[in-house]
Amino acid sequence: MAPLPLANIRMTDQFWSRWQRVLVETTLPSQYGQLVSTGRLENFRRAGKREQGGFQGLYFNDSDVYKYLEACAYGLCAHESTAVRGQMNEVIALVEAAQEADGYINTFFQLMHPDLKWRNLNSLHEMYCGGHLIEAAVAIYECLGERKLLDVAIRFADHVASVFGPGKRRGYCGHQEIELALIRLSKATGEKKYSDLGSWMIEERGNPPSVFEAELDDAPSLALQPAARHMLKQQGKYSGEYAQDHAPIRQHRAIVGHAVRAMYFYTAAADLADSRHDEPLGEALEEIWNNLTRKRMYVTGGIGPSAHNEGFTRDFDLPNLTAYAETCAAVGLILWGRTLLELTGDSEYADVIERALYNGAMSGISLSGDLYFYTNPLESRGNHERTPWFECACCPPNIARLIGSVGWVVASGADDGFWIHIPAGFDADLQIHGVPVKIRSVSNYPDSGKIEVTVEVPTPVRFNLRVRIPHWADEATFELVGDGHEAEYEGGYACFDLEWKGSTTLKIDLPMTPKWVEADPRVRDDLGRAALVRGPLVYACEEKDAGFAPQLFVVDTDIEPEERQEPMLEGVVSIVASGVREEDGSTGELYAELGASRTFDAQAEFIPYYAWCNRGPNNMQVWMRHF
Amino acid sequence: MAPLPLANIRMTDQFWSRWQRVLVETTLPSQYGQLVSTGRLENFRRAGKREQGGFQGLYFNDSDVYKYLEACAYGLCAHESTAVRGQMNEVIALVEAAQEADGYINTFFQLMHPDLKWRNLNSLHEMYCGGHLIEAAVAIYECLGERKLLDVAIRFADHVASVFGPGKRRGYCGHQEIELALIRLSKATGEKKYSDLGSWMIEERGNPPSVFEAELDDAPSLALQPAARHMLKQQGKYSGEYAQDHAPIRQHRAIVGHAVRAMYFYTAAADLADSRHDEPLGEALEEIWNNLTRKRMYVTGGIGPSAHNEGFTRDFDLPNLTAYAETCAAVGLILWGRTLLELTGDSEYADVIERALYNGAMSGISLSGDLYFYTNPLESRGNHERTPWFECACCPPNIARLIGSVGWVVASGADDGFWIHIPAGFDADLQIHGVPVKIRSVSNYPDSGKIEVTVEVPTPVRFNLRVRIPHWADEATFELVGDGHEAEYEGGYACFDLEWKGSTTLKIDLPMTPKWVEADPRVRDDLGRAALVRGPLVYACEEKDAGFAPQLFVVDTDIEPEERQEPMLEGVVSIVASGVREEDGSTGELYAELGASRTFDAQAEFIPYYAWCNRGPNNMQVWMRHF
């Protein structure tokens, strides 16, 4: 199983075609504007002129530029835009000029601390930035066929390989990223040495002595980011959990530390386990994944509950109001899920991808495409709001590259056929057994669960069309029009392994009824509460719609919620639930004998969680009290 | 209204006589041990020998030594102990020897940075430490009649007055404390100049330009505590709210910033308003108090919900699991409440004092008297536990001095009579209109609300005996035995203004029925929840008693809770409530359709909140779900 080139899978449903249009028309141009106004491009310009000093922003800011470039590649694959292409090419030229003769590139060190390069791998993100350079370069090369940035990336990767590796210096980055990038670079170039370097970094990590612990004694480089020391030490001792450096990867069992680091790390590791048929590694990853998705994931697919370490805490510790659930972590979960899905073909991974994609990841961006959440709490008391940018701006370009590359999680190609993981609308072209196959999914997902997939072949060809049965769909039906062929079921997929001729249509019906879900009782924060879902979407209640703070509302789950087609919020199915609500405001005393407050019958309208906070900040809640 | 000398009010009820015995037998000796083992006394020893370097611990550690001394004074007033007295005298000698010729004393600066004295008033706590020195000295002088430490304190206060004051340098301390101490020193010595200096500091604070903002440019002293910079600046601008330096005190309306600083500050200000009959200041303080106690106080009397600033956030923001509610803040609330009570004679202040005293303050110490909570959350998921000491050890000696001096909040003397604020058991002696009066309260408070107060006079004398009617007592009765005299009611007190002869007994009955209370609906964290109270005590449900995590329990408030006399936990009235509980553990999936979990009828035993966690850490909850 492997993703199709993005040029060969074009999103056609209302949801994704709108997002991809907004990506190219609004998101990418506004992000370019931020790169200019925050000095991120100026850093490259100065480095290109071999100036010294004057670096602006945080030391890892180069990475935002690279992620923006990667998103441009995907966006332009969906929609050509002269403006975006021009800005992209300008940035590529700046990056190329900034690279030093030996392949090194990192404008923070070049401008400010050329003597401190590669001395604080733990905190200073040189390889992390370089990893994003490589990803951008591969994306532009593969999607747009341009290799100028790929050559920059190759020179950088060769430079890293000249410093680090078996028989050279032992080293890996505090923030994983280059591992998966090196593997991508190998696939793009056919050069095995890059994935060898990446896999060496994966395997070296967590083996004592830690590379990072030794760095804590390097005062000059440590002084550049002293706070990192705290994250590595717990009760005065080196822990390493923050950066998944606590044990070799094959010994990992629970998900720990900084969420985004963990996601990028395990994404690379799963890719490695896949390509090397490394079963023990795959089993370790499955166990970590299960810990994450069965004990430490929000119903929205958000992960990493704590602001303290931007990451994980304990099983079932999932506070709603203070949920960190970083946008980047949800994007990372989708990346990791995709590699495990490709490794196993098990729909459980696609279930999680879908959950994160339509809820906790897409909540990270406004419907307008130019405002972002860094954190994605499941409750708001009115003070959570999207903003145009962040000092640490990892999330905006990350959600941009996800939107642009969503075709990769929607479907996959394979030697023996085609996989549909998410029944969105798309047009796909691929070759199966040498025959050009067109697969068109006509869909209004996630609003509707009725999908028609048409397979067109010029000559008969036998292959297996697999369509995932979502975990939430109780009575899914699959009907090959005019054909008695019955599906076989394997790994959570409905499989149609037959000889396809001419044009064949598969009708899929995934009934979408609003449902109330509850959490495992060990999630103490959700006890006595229920969340409203419909299909893949988790719903939220906003004060804007309810007319009162949703925290006051107690849902009567015996009364069936009613669906409404709403033109608001770019078109959503909203759902009205019934119950009672408490009167807000004072009962006279801060604490009074029970019975002082009054309740009324009430109804409240719910909207998809991803769409909340598009009409200003206000009270919001996902997990509702109920009776 | 003024407190009686502690020698003249001796606690006799089971609750306080036990705590005061534990104070002298266990708490004070174990705290002395901590002062030794953590180097706090060694710092004084080295300073006394005029050594340099080698300071151990945090820069404000001298204050713990002084607060310990203050608690010794109170403890020895209740129970003589050769051991405690010997240790106290040893420490006094160390302090005396450490003082410099000009009156300066602070072992951190003396040992480490003699050149940086008085340069970072904001963070380095020199006046704060000195304030606690003064308080200890006054306490020892007043309770035990020994003035060696008082002379040290006077020399220190004179030194401060030689540096700071009108016409001299403008300055006040980042952590308020010396203001109230200077006022105490004036009362003890009759020297007005000290309270003048304290009141000048109170009034100067918050007037631009801030003393602290300028200090942010003093790099050498700032380097000693760089973190403080963050607390003073918000979004890059000087705010001052953290240290109540945002506006002159007369303009304060809401309670903001670090809770303990605020409490010590307003305690001093209320004392000032009282002694100077300063009504505008008194009115400002009332408004701040009302904001605090009507919108920002836990049901336990805990205050300051946030760990971020050890202090206040927004109205009705009272999260339970993450409640900071520092022990010292509850102690400080009692101090402030007492000065406002003395200023106004309004029982509302005593209601808050009682709430904090029997719940959120006394939870700060273990029943064994040698383990402490720094923070007092209203829910635990099993990882909150008392410890023998802290690196920042403000709380242990603070709760010790509260226990020793509790007589001061129980009752007050006045020119025209006697006030009983809290109907604990005590023996009091005082002179009223020149007649020696004995007042004995026989009480088993807070277990029982039946109290007998006997007034004995050798010759007839007219005075007003005022007894507070607690806010929680619905049907309080007051009966003068063998006398038809009816009480008059004023300011929440039952007042008996009559000519007392011989021995007269007042029978008080404050029926204590278990009750469920609810919070103002704007406290979102308590919506749908109720807390169990009985008399002045707030109750908590621990897993140790319930047999299951109390978070799983849903109380049926229609079933009357049952009282039990329990010998456990040094004797408490426990209360059994009925309801249902959810089955703990997995329902198979992290999120499943509503109805997967099972519930059972269940009962759970509740104990007073202050007594929780005396049998090891475990799940605990105050605010229970209910139906």
Side-chain angles (χ1 to χ4, degrees), chain B residues 461-516:
Chain B
V461 57
R462 185 183 179 99
F463 67 86
N464 198 344
L465 174 68
R466 295 175 175 89
V467 183
R468 169 175 151 266
I469 309 159
H471 71 106
W472 51 262
D474 295 329
E475 295 173 0
T477 60
F478 299 85
E479 185 200 348
L480 268 188
V481 179
D483 184 318
H485 192 98
E486 294 282 324
E488 286 173 29
Y489 296 92
E490 191 189 339
Y493 285 77
C495 307
F496 298 89
D497 189 4
L498 54 101
E499 189 173 65
W500 301 83
K501 299 170 196 166
S503 174
T504 316
T505 297
L506 173 67
K507 283 194 173 179
I508 304 170
D509 190 4
L510 310 171
M512 287 186 176
T513 317
K515 277 187 225 175
W516 293 101

Side-chain angles (χ1 to χ4, degrees), chain A residues 71-148:
Chain A
C72 285
Y74 305 145
L76 289 171
C77 209
H79 291 279
E80 185 49 58
S81 158
T82 319
V84 169
R85 194 173 280 262
Q87 290 164 346
M88 178 188 80
N89 285 334
E90 180 206 331
V91 176
I92 291 172
L94 286 173
V95 172
E96 186 184 36
Q99 187 169 41
E100 297 186 347
D102 66 357
Y104 184 89
I105 181 164
N106 183 299
T107 69
F108 172 71
F109 282 94
Q110 290 173 259
L111 295 177
M112 306 304 284
H113 299 284
D115 53 321
L116 295 179
K117 287 174 187 169
W118 302 129
R119 273 174 60 176
N120 187 336
L121 301 182
N122 163 40
S123 0
L124 294 175
H125 289 53
E126 285 161 286
M127 291 191 203
Y128 168 85
C129 290
H132 279 303
L133 164 64
I134 294 169
E135 285 210 272
V138 170
I140 290 170
Y141 175 66
E142 291 185 339
C143 292
L144 308 176
E146 294 171 17
R147 67 169 295 145
K148 191 195 267 189

Side-chain angles (χ1 to χ4, degrees), chain B residues 263-277:
Chain B
M263 294 305 104
Y264 290 177
F265 185 43
Y266 296 131
T267 297
D271 219 335
L272 196 67
D274 193 9
S275 62
R276 299 198 172 171
H277 309 291

Side-chain angles (χ1 to χ4, degrees), chain A residues 380-384 542-545 612-613 616-620:
Chain A
S380 168
R381 302 209 176 140
N383 46 9
H384 195 64
E542 266 190 292
E543 182 164 7
K544 293 273 181 209
D545 298 308
W612 93 272
C613 204
N618 70 141
N619 282 294
M620 180 279 294

